[in-house]
Amino acid sequence: EEVIVMAKDLRPGRKKAMVLEDAELRSLRIPSTAHRGSLSPSKHSYLPTLQEQAREDRPQSIASRKGATEAPVEAEKKGGHALPETHVLTDLSADVLENVKAEFVENGGALNGEQFVRAMLRNLDGGSGKSQVSTTQESASPMRSASIRAAAVMDLFSHVDVHGESSVTWEDVSNYFIEQGMSGGDEFTVDSIKTYEVSQVKDVSKHETPVEKLVYLEQIDSLVCLSRGSRNFRLYDPKRCILKDTVPGHRGTVINCCYVDAWSQIATTAADMTICFWDSHLQLRNRLAAKDVQLCLQWDSVSRSLFS
């Protein structure tokens, strides 16, 4: 019953109230600590962040507006948990986003409030497993958890539909996710959206000693593997984790490496107090002696210098 009651909040009367509320938001002037003057919301500004600030300064008559969706919100705030829409954001995965995007396409590129809530709940329940909301509400009933999630999705819709148009496009939704990450808030970061899973690709090559360091060289799309006590370094295909080459040549443990764009060479440093340079065929091209063991290497393309 709670889910049904909250769904009614997206009826025309509720939408009109949202339009009036957002109209007030667009006239806001928020002081900026980083720039002179103040910030005012626009379609491509960090309006979601400005909304959070505005809620604190909004007149009591608006702030005290009560609805079915606000009960879970207040409960979350009092409990010290993240804001409702954050629960939805942290449950997102690439598959969920792809499915939601497909529903936007099927509906002509835009979804109204009810369609958006149904699409999000359907895909979140099917693609994310146990949600963060249900984890933090272990003692709550299943209906209570479902109502909290529904309220969180409705809250997310109100954040995305900043102009009160009662519908959102996929561009609006994706821009909101990007802006939330760029705003750098404590409650939400880009990494909160990402879902990291164990890859099916595994390294099947034999290592005589533990791996000490992995360095990805984007210029040659290779992963350099440095092992403890090894005078050699290995190059792997990063996509398939297949060993491509084992390169000997140092007289001490290889410690670090980098890629030198100007010469198209790999630079390595080792405990033998030398820096070696290897060409595209992994042949030793040069060896520089140092007074001490060099622990770090970094090529700077601006000054065309190798720092160690």
Side-chain angles (χ1 to χ4, degrees), residues 2 6 66-84 87 133 136-137 140 144-145 147-149 151:
E2 293 183 34
M6 283 183 286
K66 298 189 180 294
T69 59
E70 291 195 356
V73 174
E74 294 302 322
E76 290 290 324
K77 289 182 179 179
K78 290 180 180 178
H81 301 300
L83 294 172
H87 288 312
V133 177
T136 57
Q137 301 287 340
R144 176 62 175 166
S145 298
S147 66
I148 292 176
R149 167 160 284 194

mmCIF file of all heavy atoms in Angstrom, residues 2 6 66-84 87 133 136-137 140 144-145 147-149 151:
data_model
loop_
_atom_site.group_PDB
_atom_site.id
_atom_site.type_symbol
_atom_site.label_atom_id
_atom_site.label_comp_id
_atom_site.label_asym_id
_atom_site.label_seq_id
_atom_site.Cartn_x
_atom_site.Cartn_y
_atom_site.Cartn_z
ATOM 1 N N GLU A 2 1.991 1.187 0.706
ATOM 2 C CA GLU A 2 2.860 2.368 0.775
ATOM 3 C C GLU A 2 3.402 2.712 -0.603
ATOM 4 O O GLU A 2 3.515 3.880 -0.970
ATOM 5 C CB GLU A 2 4.010 2.104 1.740
ATOM 6 C CG GLU A 2 3.550 1.975 3.183
ATOM 7 C CD GLU A 2 4.753 1.776 4.109
ATOM 8 O OE1 GLU A 2 5.803 2.349 3.812
ATOM 9 O OE2 GLU A 2 4.608 1.060 5.092
ATOM 10 N N MET A 6 2.727 6.250 -2.673
ATOM 11 C CA MET A 6 3.794 7.122 -3.153
ATOM 12 C C MET A 6 3.723 7.302 -4.659
ATOM 13 O O MET A 6 4.106 8.332 -5.184
ATOM 14 C CB MET A 6 5.149 6.540 -2.748
ATOM 15 C CG MET A 6 5.466 6.793 -1.291
ATOM 16 S SD MET A 6 7.073 6.196 -0.833
ATOM 17 C CE MET A 6 6.739 4.454 -0.796
ATOM 18 N N LYS A 66 4.913 18.098 3.411
ATOM 19 C CA LYS A 66 5.005 16.685 3.723
ATOM 20 C C LYS A 66 4.328 15.871 2.647
ATOM 21 O O LYS A 66 3.305 16.236 2.121
ATOM 22 C CB LYS A 66 4.360 16.379 5.089
ATOM 23 C CG LYS A 66 5.071 17.090 6.228
ATOM 24 C CD LYS A 66 4.564 16.609 7.567
ATOM 25 C CE LYS A 66 5.286 17.335 8.699
ATOM 26 N NZ LYS A 66 6.676 17.012 8.742
ATOM 27 N N GLY A 67 4.919 14.719 2.378
ATOM 28 C CA GLY A 67 4.346 13.806 1.396
ATOM 29 C C GLY A 67 4.807 12.409 1.703
ATOM 30 O O GLY A 67 5.667 12.196 2.557
ATOM 31 N N ALA A 68 4.261 11.468 0.982
ATOM 32 C CA ALA A 68 4.599 10.080 1.251
ATOM 33 C C ALA A 68 6.060 9.798 0.977
ATOM 34 O O ALA A 68 6.654 8.928 1.601
ATOM 35 C CB ALA A 68 3.729 9.159 0.389
ATOM 36 N N THR A 69 6.652 10.535 0.026
ATOM 37 C CA THR A 69 8.048 10.276 -0.301
ATOM 38 C C THR A 69 8.990 10.871 0.712
ATOM 39 O O THR A 69 10.154 10.488 0.774
ATOM 40 C CB THR A 69 8.385 10.869 -1.682
ATOM 41 O OG1 THR A 69 8.136 12.268 -1.665
ATOM 42 C CG2 THR A 69 7.564 10.203 -2.766
ATOM 43 N N GLU A 70 8.557 11.824 1.532
ATOM 44 C CA GLU A 70 9.472 12.501 2.431
ATOM 45 C C GLU A 70 9.683 11.753 3.733
ATOM 46 O O GLU A 70 10.663 11.981 4.422
ATOM 47 C CB GLU A 70 8.977 13.920 2.717
ATOM 48 C CG GLU A 70 9.062 14.823 1.504
ATOM 49 C CD GLU A 70 8.928 16.263 1.881
ATOM 50 O OE1 GLU A 70 8.685 16.536 3.076
ATOM 51 O OE2 GLU A 70 9.056 17.128 1.013
ATOM 52 N N ALA A 71 8.776 10.866 4.096
ATOM 53 C CA ALA A 71 8.950 10.120 5.335
ATOM 54 C C ALA A 71 10.221 9.284 5.307
ATOM 55 O O ALA A 71 11.039 9.339 6.219
ATOM 56 C CB ALA A 71 7.721 9.248 5.608
ATOM 57 N N PRO A 72 10.451 8.480 4.225
ATOM 58 C CA PRO A 72 11.693 7.733 4.166
ATOM 59 C C PRO A 72 12.911 8.632 4.102
ATOM 60 O O PRO A 72 13.963 8.296 4.616
ATOM 61 C CB PRO A 72 11.542 6.908 2.872
ATOM 62 C CG PRO A 72 10.082 6.929 2.550
ATOM 63 C CD PRO A 72 9.560 8.201 3.120
ATOM 64 N N VAL A 73 12.762 9.795 3.439
ATOM 65 C CA VAL A 73 13.885 10.723 3.317
ATOM 66 C C VAL A 73 14.329 11.198 4.694
ATOM 67 O O VAL A 73 15.506 11.181 5.036
ATOM 68 C CB VAL A 73 13.504 11.936 2.434
ATOM 69 C CG1 VAL A 73 14.621 12.954 2.424
ATOM 70 C CG2 VAL A 73 13.175 11.465 1.020
ATOM 71 N N GLU A 74 13.353 11.655 5.495
ATOM 72 C CA GLU A 74 13.687 12.139 6.836
ATOM 73 C C GLU A 74 14.262 11.021 7.686
ATOM 74 O O GLU A 74 15.170 11.231 8.477
ATOM 75 C CB GLU A 74 12.424 12.720 7.509
ATOM 76 C CG GLU A 74 11.909 13.980 6.828
ATOM 77 C CD GLU A 74 12.965 15.068 6.796
ATOM 78 O OE1 GLU A 74 13.715 15.204 7.786
ATOM 79 O OE2 GLU A 74 13.058 15.781 5.783
ATOM 80 N N ALA A 75 13.708 9.827 7.533
ATOM 81 C CA ALA A 75 14.214 8.696 8.312
ATOM 82 C C ALA A 75 15.670 8.418 7.972
ATOM 83 O O ALA A 75 16.482 8.119 8.836
ATOM 84 C CB ALA A 75 13.361 7.452 8.040
ATOM 85 N N GLU A 76 15.999 8.531 6.663
ATOM 86 C CA GLU A 76 17.365 8.292 6.253
ATOM 87 C C GLU A 76 18.305 9.335 6.838
ATOM 88 O O GLU A 76 19.388 9.034 7.315
ATOM 89 C CB GLU A 76 17.453 8.332 4.716
ATOM 90 C CG GLU A 76 16.793 7.154 4.032
ATOM 91 C CD GLU A 76 17.578 5.871 4.260
ATOM 92 O OE1 GLU A 76 18.810 5.927 4.296
ATOM 93 O OE2 GLU A 76 16.952 4.827 4.428
ATOM 94 N N LYS A 77 17.850 10.630 6.784
ATOM 95 C CA LYS A 77 18.720 11.695 7.282
ATOM 96 C C LYS A 77 18.958 11.563 8.775
ATOM 97 O O LYS A 77 20.057 11.749 9.284
ATOM 98 C CB LYS A 77 18.101 13.064 6.954
ATOM 99 C CG LYS A 77 18.154 13.403 5.460
ATOM 100 C CD LYS A 77 17.588 14.770 5.201
ATOM 101 C CE LYS A 77 17.662 15.119 3.719
ATOM 102 N NZ LYS A 77 17.099 16.426 3.427
ATOM 103 N N LYS A 78 17.894 11.248 9.526
ATOM 104 C CA LYS A 78 18.039 11.123 10.969
ATOM 105 C C LYS A 78 18.929 9.942 11.326
ATOM 106 O O LYS A 78 19.625 9.945 12.324
ATOM 107 C CB LYS A 78 16.658 10.955 11.619
ATOM 108 C CG LYS A 78 15.817 12.222 11.557
ATOM 109 C CD LYS A 78 14.461 12.011 12.209
ATOM 110 C CE LYS A 78 13.618 13.287 12.131
ATOM 111 N NZ LYS A 78 12.293 13.083 12.719
ATOM 112 N N GLY A 79 18.882 8.904 10.486
ATOM 113 C CA GLY A 79 19.692 7.727 10.759
ATOM 114 C C GLY A 79 21.130 7.893 10.350
ATOM 115 O O GLY A 79 21.955 7.012 10.555
ATOM 116 N N GLY A 80 21.448 9.008 9.701
ATOM 117 C CA GLY A 80 22.824 9.267 9.319
ATOM 118 C C GLY A 80 23.244 8.566 8.045
ATOM 119 O O GLY A 80 24.413 8.468 7.737
ATOM 120 N N HIS A 81 22.275 8.019 7.269
ATOM 121 C CA HIS A 81 22.616 7.338 6.037
ATOM 122 C C HIS A 81 22.652 8.332 4.890
ATOM 123 O O HIS A 81 22.313 9.502 5.027
ATOM 124 C CB HIS A 81 21.600 6.228 5.750
ATOM 125 C CG HIS A 81 21.531 5.212 6.861
ATOM 126 N ND1 HIS A 81 22.631 4.473 7.239
ATOM 127 C CD2 HIS A 81 20.499 4.829 7.669
ATOM 128 C CE1 HIS A 81 22.282 3.655 8.225
ATOM 129 N NE2 HIS A 81 20.996 3.870 8.502
ATOM 130 N N ALA A 82 23.023 7.806 3.700
ATOM 131 C CA ALA A 82 23.111 8.659 2.524
ATOM 132 C C ALA A 82 21.725 9.093 2.094
ATOM 133 O O ALA A 82 20.720 8.526 2.486
ATOM 134 C CB ALA A 82 23.794 7.891 1.392
ATOM 135 N N LEU A 83 21.680 10.161 1.266
ATOM 136 C CA LEU A 83 20.422 10.653 0.745
ATOM 137 C C LEU A 83 19.756 9.584 -0.117
ATOM 138 O O LEU A 83 20.437 8.750 -0.701
ATOM 139 C CB LEU A 83 20.673 11.914 -0.079
ATOM 140 C CG LEU A 83 21.174 13.115 0.727
ATOM 141 C CD1 LEU A 83 21.568 14.235 -0.196
ATOM 142 C CD2 LEU A 83 20.123 13.574 1.721
ATOM 143 N N PRO A 84 18.401 9.611 -0.237
ATOM 144 C CA PRO A 84 17.677 8.542 -0.928
ATOM 145 C C PRO A 84 18.166 8.261 -2.330
ATOM 146 O O PRO A 84 18.340 7.126 -2.709
ATOM 147 C CB PRO A 84 16.228 9.051 -0.923
ATOM 148 C CG PRO A 84 16.139 9.954 0.250
ATOM 149 C CD PRO A 84 17.488 10.596 0.366
ATOM 150 N N HIS A 87 21.099 5.933 -2.804
ATOM 151 C CA HIS A 87 20.895 4.497 -2.756
ATOM 152 C C HIS A 87 20.715 3.935 -4.157
ATOM 153 O O HIS A 87 21.192 2.854 -4.470
ATOM 154 C CB HIS A 87 19.657 4.161 -1.909
ATOM 155 C CG HIS A 87 19.862 4.362 -0.442
ATOM 156 N ND1 HIS A 87 20.959 3.872 0.219
ATOM 157 C CD2 HIS A 87 19.101 4.983 0.496
ATOM 158 C CE1 HIS A 87 20.878 4.186 1.508
ATOM 159 N NE2 HIS A 87 19.757 4.869 1.695
ATOM 160 N N VAL A 133 19.875 -0.325 0.107
ATOM 161 C CA VAL A 133 18.793 0.072 0.988
ATOM 162 C C VAL A 133 18.400 -1.084 1.882
ATOM 163 O O VAL A 133 18.287 -0.960 3.089
ATOM 164 C CB VAL A 133 17.570 0.541 0.166
ATOM 165 C CG1 VAL A 133 16.418 0.894 1.093
ATOM 166 C CG2 VAL A 133 17.936 1.727 -0.694
ATOM 167 N N THR A 136 20.975 -1.840 4.595
ATOM 168 C CA THR A 136 20.982 -0.938 5.740
ATOM 169 C C THR A 136 19.676 -0.976 6.516
ATOM 170 O O THR A 136 19.559 -0.384 7.579
ATOM 171 C CB THR A 136 21.235 0.513 5.263
ATOM 172 O OG1 THR A 136 20.241 0.862 4.309
ATOM 173 C CG2 THR A 136 22.617 0.621 4.631
ATOM 174 N N GLN A 137 18.692 -1.650 5.971
ATOM 175 C CA GLN A 137 17.404 -1.744 6.637
ATOM 176 C C GLN A 137 17.067 -3.219 6.891
ATOM 177 O O GLN A 137 16.004 -3.712 6.554
ATOM 178 C CB GLN A 137 16.311 -1.109 5.756
ATOM 179 C CG GLN A 137 16.562 0.341 5.421
ATOM 180 C CD GLN A 137 16.313 1.225 6.633
ATOM 181 O OE1 GLN A 137 15.626 0.845 7.567
ATOM 182 N NE2 GLN A 137 16.907 2.406 6.630
ATOM 183 N N ALA A 140 13.901 -4.104 8.634
ATOM 184 C CA ALA A 140 12.657 -3.628 8.044
ATOM 185 C C ALA A 140 11.980 -4.754 7.269
ATOM 186 O O ALA A 140 12.607 -5.698 6.826
ATOM 187 C CB ALA A 140 12.927 -2.456 7.106
ATOM 188 N N ARG A 144 8.482 -2.461 3.466
ATOM 189 C CA ARG A 144 9.144 -1.223 3.872
ATOM 190 C C ARG A 144 10.363 -0.964 2.981
ATOM 191 O O ARG A 144 10.588 0.159 2.517
ATOM 192 C CB ARG A 144 9.576 -1.339 5.340
ATOM 193 C CG ARG A 144 10.360 -0.148 5.862
ATOM 194 C CD ARG A 144 9.543 1.124 5.808
ATOM 195 N NE ARG A 144 10.259 2.245 6.410
ATOM 196 C CZ ARG A 144 9.909 3.494 6.275
ATOM 197 N NH1 ARG A 144 8.850 3.800 5.559
ATOM 198 N NH2 ARG A 144 10.599 4.445 6.855
ATOM 199 N N SER A 145 11.164 -2.015 2.710
ATOM 200 C CA SER A 145 12.336 -1.855 1.850
ATOM 201 C C SER A 145 11.924 -1.446 0.451
ATOM 202 O O SER A 145 12.558 -0.601 -0.181
ATOM 203 C CB SER A 145 13.123 -3.171 1.803
ATOM 204 O OG SER A 145 13.591 -3.517 3.081
ATOM 205 N N SER A 147 9.244 0.198 -0.385
ATOM 206 C CA SER A 147 8.749 1.573 -0.370
ATOM 207 C C SER A 147 9.905 2.569 -0.308
ATOM 208 O O SER A 147 9.844 3.636 -0.922
ATOM 209 C CB SER A 147 7.817 1.774 0.837
ATOM 210 O OG SER A 147 8.522 1.672 2.056
ATOM 211 N N ILE A 148 10.949 2.217 0.415
ATOM 212 C CA ILE A 148 12.124 3.103 0.488
ATOM 213 C C ILE A 148 12.782 3.213 -0.877
ATOM 214 O O ILE A 148 13.178 4.292 -1.318
ATOM 215 C CB ILE A 148 13.124 2.587 1.547
ATOM 216 C CG1 ILE A 148 12.536 2.735 2.948
ATOM 217 C CG2 ILE A 148 14.450 3.344 1.454
ATOM 218 C CD1 ILE A 148 13.406 2.179 4.045
ATOM 219 N N ARG A 149 12.893 2.069 -1.559
ATOM 220 C CA ARG A 149 13.512 2.099 -2.879
ATOM 221 C C ARG A 149 12.654 2.909 -3.858
ATOM 222 O O ARG A 149 13.172 3.681 -4.662
ATOM 223 C CB ARG A 149 13.710 0.684 -3.403
ATOM 224 C CG ARG A 149 14.055 0.648 -4.884
ATOM 225 C CD ARG A 149 14.693 -0.627 -5.296
ATOM 226 N NE ARG A 149 16.085 -0.677 -4.863
ATOM 227 C CZ ARG A 149 16.976 -1.555 -5.317
ATOM 228 N NH1 ARG A 149 16.630 -2.451 -6.202
ATOM 229 N NH2 ARG A 149 18.213 -1.543 -4.882
ATOM 230 N N ALA A 151 10.647 5.331 -3.102
ATOM 231 C CA ALA A 151 10.806 6.743 -2.740
ATOM 232 C C ALA A 151 12.133 7.285 -3.256
ATOM 233 O O ALA A 151 12.216 8.435 -3.706
ATOM 234 C CB ALA A 151 10.720 6.902 -1.225
#
